[in-house]
Amino acid sequence: MLRPEQMSKVSMAGSKGVMPTVIETIHELNLVHLSDYDGSWEGFDNGNPIEGADDASEKLVTVRALESTLDISREETAAGTVDDNWEQRLEEIRTRVNELDDQHSEAREELRLVEEKIDRVDPFAELGIDPDLLSGYDSVDVLVGEGSYAEVESALEAAEEIRAYEILTGGDVVAIVAAPAEGESTDGLVDDALVGIEFTRHPVPETEQSPGEYVRELTDEKRDLEDELDRIDADLEEIELDDGGFLVRLEEELSIEVQRAEAPLQFATTDNAFIAEGWIPASEYDRFVDAVTDAVGDSVEIEQLEVAEYEEHEHGAEAHTGSGGDGDGGNGDADDAEASQPARQKAATDGGTTGAAGAAGSSGAVTMDEDPPVILDNLTPAKPFELLVKMVSQPKYSELDPTLLVFLTYPFAFGFMIGDIGYGILYMLMGYGCWKYFDSDAGKALGTIGIWAGAFTVVFGYLYDDIFGIHMADVGLGFLPLAGSLSKGLQLSEWALLWIILSILFGIIHLNIGLIMGFVNDLSHGLKAAVYERLSWILAMNGLFIWIFSHGDAGSIEHGIAALPADLAFSQTKPEFLVGTGPDAVLYEFLGFAGLPEIVGILGIAMFLVGSVMVGVGEGIAGVFEIPAWAFGHVLSYLRMVAVLLAKGGMAFAVNLLVFGAYETEAGYTYFNYPGLHITEISGYEYGELSPEFVGLVHAGDGILVSAIAIIAAIVVFILGHILVLLLGITAAGIQMLRLEYVEFFQKFYQGGGEEYEPFGEEQTVQPAD
C-alpha cells in the first residue's frame, strides 16, 4: 500500500497486416500505457495514422463544436444511439444549428444597435426637445450632455469666446446653446469652454421624430428582436433535446476511432513490421498475453521486457519471454525487423545487455528508457486521500506513496482540532452533499474526505463533551460512557499543557515516519546517501527531544567531564510540566510519566551531536544552519494544532457566552446561564445560586416585547456565530493540517513528479440511456 502497483514493460512485435487487430484488442483491454517511440532506431520510423483518421478527427471537431453551441452537458445527457445513416444526420444537424447560430448572432447584433440608439435618445426625451431642433445651426453651437449645472454655467460665464449662451435642463441632462463673440468660430465653441470640468456629451440622434415616438419605435423593435432570440433559443433547445444523446454517443465513438487510428504514431514501424512497447500492471500480464494471442495467434510476439523494481534503474530488457508466439512474426516479417536492428545497446535489468527490439525474440527496449507510470495501490477507504497527495504531485514509481499515512493522520488531526459533535455532523453532511452533487472523481474524493473529517470531529467532540460548544452534561447527556473524558483546556490549564506536549509528541512521531520513509527512498542511491541524508536527521531530532524529556538540567552533557559554573549554564532546571512528579507535572498527572533517566538524556545529547556532525558531513555548512529548523522548529510547528483547538473552542465559547450569559464559581470555572437552570443544577457543583457574571441575550430586557426581541437576537447570534466558527474551522484546521502534511511531513521524503498511468483504451465517459 505504501508502494505503487508493480508494473511490467512489454513489447509487441509483428507484421503490419495484423497491427489494426492488435490496436483494437489492446484498446478494448484498456490496459497498456503505451510508450512513445523516439525515432532513434535505424530503419524504423513512427507509424502513420490508420486510413480514415483525418475524416474521423474532422467529424469529431464538428460534433464537439455542435455540443458547445447547444450547451450539451456530457455528464447530464444520456447517451443515445448511432445508426448507419449517422453521417447524414450529423450534416443535417450541423446545417440547421449553423443557420440558427448565424440568425442568433445577427439578431443579437441588431439588438445591441437598437439598445445603443435607445440609450442615445433617452437624454433627449428627458429634455423634451425634438432632436432635429438641436442641430443644423451655423450661427450658434449646440451641445447636449450631463454634468453639474453650476460648473457648466461658471465655465460658460468665464469663456471670453462666448458672447451669449442659454442652458436648458431636463433631469440630469443639460442642453447648451452658445453664440460666439465677434470674430470667433462656432466650431468646438462649447467644447473648448467646458475643458476642465466633468461633462458627458451625448451625440444628437438623426431623426425627425419626437424623442418619445422614437423611443417607442425602438422599444417595439427591441421587443421583436428579443422575441426572435427567444424563438431561436427554443429551436436550439429542441435540437438539444432531440439530438443531444446522439451527439454525445457519436463523440464517444469518434473519440475511440481517432484514438485507435492515431495509435501507430507511438509505434516503431517499417513497411512490413511494427513494434510497440508499453507498461501494464504486473498482475495483468497473463491476461494481456491471452487476449492478444486469442486475437492474432502467433502473428505477434510478446515479450516481457522487465518487471520494474521499486528503485531507480535503467529500464532495459528482462531476459525472459512471454507466451506471445514462436518468434517467426507470422508472415516472415521477423527477418525484416531483425535486419533493421541497431548497433546501440541498452543496459538490461539483470546487468547484461540486450539488442533493440525486433520481431525475432531479442526484443530489447526500442523507445525511451522512461520510468514506469504510477498506479497508486491503496485500501478503498484511503483512496479518496490520493487527491491530497496528487495536489502536490503524482508520486514517482520509485518512492513510497504517503496516501495511507495522510488518511490515518489528516482526519484524526482535523477532528482533534475542532472536536465538536454539532460541527462534526454538519461537516459530514457537507461532505455527503459534495459527494452527491459532484460527478467528477475529484469532487467525490473531496466529499469523502469531508465525511471522514466530520466523523473524527464527532468522535473528539464526544470525548470533549461538546455540542456547538455546549457540554452534553448541561443538556442531560452526561451519563453517556466516556462523554467528557477529555477537555479542550479552555478553563483547565493542565489540559491545555497536556495538548501542547502531546502535539509535540505527535509531531515527533509524524516526522520520524517521514524521515524513515525518506531513508528507504534514499537507499536506491546507496546506503551512504541514506545515512547522511536521512539517518543524520533522525539522530539529531530524536536525540534533542530525548534530552528535553529527560531528568537533569541543561548542563547534563558536561556531567562526567567537567561541571560548568552555574552562571554559564543556559538553564538550571527544565520546566516542571515536562518532567518530574511535582504538582505541575502534566505528563505525570495524566500518564504517570515522570521523565526519562538522566543517563538517557545524556545519550540523547550524544545522538544529537553525532547527527549534527553527520548532517555537516553530508550536506555541508548549509545543512548545519538548517539544524535548528529541521530538528526543533519543524516539531514545534505542530503546536498550531493546539492553537486551532483553543481558538475554535474559544470562539464557540464566546458565541454561547453572548447568547446565554454565564456564572463564575468560586473555583474560577465558568458555566453558561441556560434559561431555567441554576448553578446548583449543573454538574453537581454545590455553590448555591450565584449572580451571573455576564447577562446573555436570552436574559436581556424587561417586558414581553423587549424579551422577545432579545430572544430573536440570541437565535440569530447563535446560528450566525456558529456558522462562522464552522467555516473558519475548515480554513483553520483543514489548511493548517495540510500545511503540516505538505511542508513538514512530505519534505522529509517526498519528491513527486511521477507519470500517471493512462492506459490506451475505452472508458465510459457518458451516461447510458435508460
Side-chain angles (χ1 to χ4, degrees), residues 109-297:
E109 177 63 18
E110 291 180 18
L111 179 62
R112 183 186 66 81
L113 295 175
V114 169
E115 289 174 340
E116 287 183 358
K117 291 178 181 179
I118 293 175
D119 291 339
R120 287 201 301 267
V121 79
D122 273 343
F124 298 92
E126 288 189 44
L127 279 174
I129 302 175
D130 291 348
D132 62 335
L133 298 177
L134 297 172
S135 61
Y137 299 101
D138 295 329
S139 58
V140 294
D141 188 19
V142 180
L143 190 66
V144 179
E146 295 182 41
S148 169
Y149 181 91
E151 291 181 359
V152 169
E153 186 176 35
S154 298
L156 295 174
E157 188 69 33
E160 297 179 356
E161 298 84 358
I162 296 177
R163 173 172 53 83
Y165 65 86
E166 184 174 353
I167 302 175
L168 307 174
T169 61
D172 296 328
V173 181
V174 176
I176 305 168
V177 181
E182 186 175 353
E184 298 291 339
S185 172
T186 58
D187 292 339
L189 180 66
V190 179
D191 273 327
D192 293 340
L194 298 183
V195 170
I197 71 171
E198 186 175 346
F199 189 83
T200 303
R201 293 154 181 80
H202 295 309
V204 178
E206 298 179 0
T207 177
E208 296 180 357
Q209 296 175 293
S210 68
E213 293 175 350
Y214 191 46
V215 168
R216 283 192 294 273
E217 181 181 301
L218 292 174
T219 301
D220 291 340
E221 187 176 350
K222 176 182 177 182
R223 187 179 303 110
D224 291 340
L225 289 170
E226 288 174 341
D227 291 341
E228 176 70 8
L229 286 172
D230 289 341
R231 181 193 63 78
I232 295 172
D233 288 337
D235 290 345
L236 290 171
E237 185 175 351
E238 183 178 356
I239 296 175
E240 177 188 354
L241 294 174
D242 293 341
D243 300 306
F246 163 74
L247 292 173
V248 167
R249 174 61 71 192
L250 182 59
E251 182 194 359
E252 182 172 80
E253 294 191 3
L254 287 173
S255 298
I256 294 170
E257 184 176 343
V258 169
Q259 188 182 33
R260 288 175 176 171
E262 294 181 349
L265 294 172
Q266 298 176 271
F267 293 4
T269 64
T270 67
D271 291 339
N272 300 312
F274 79 92
I275 303 171
E277 282 187 11
W279 293 95
I280 64 173
S283 60
E284 298 283 357
Y285 177 71
D286 290 337
R287 183 166 75 91
F288 168 74
V289 171
D290 291 341
V292 177
T293 303
D294 289 343
V296 295

Side-chain angles (χ1 to χ4, degrees), residues 331-348:
N331 291 321
D333 293 312
D335 294 337
D336 179 59
E338 189 172 356
S340 302
Q341 289 183 9
R344 183 171 62 90
Q345 302 287 303
K346 295 181 70 67

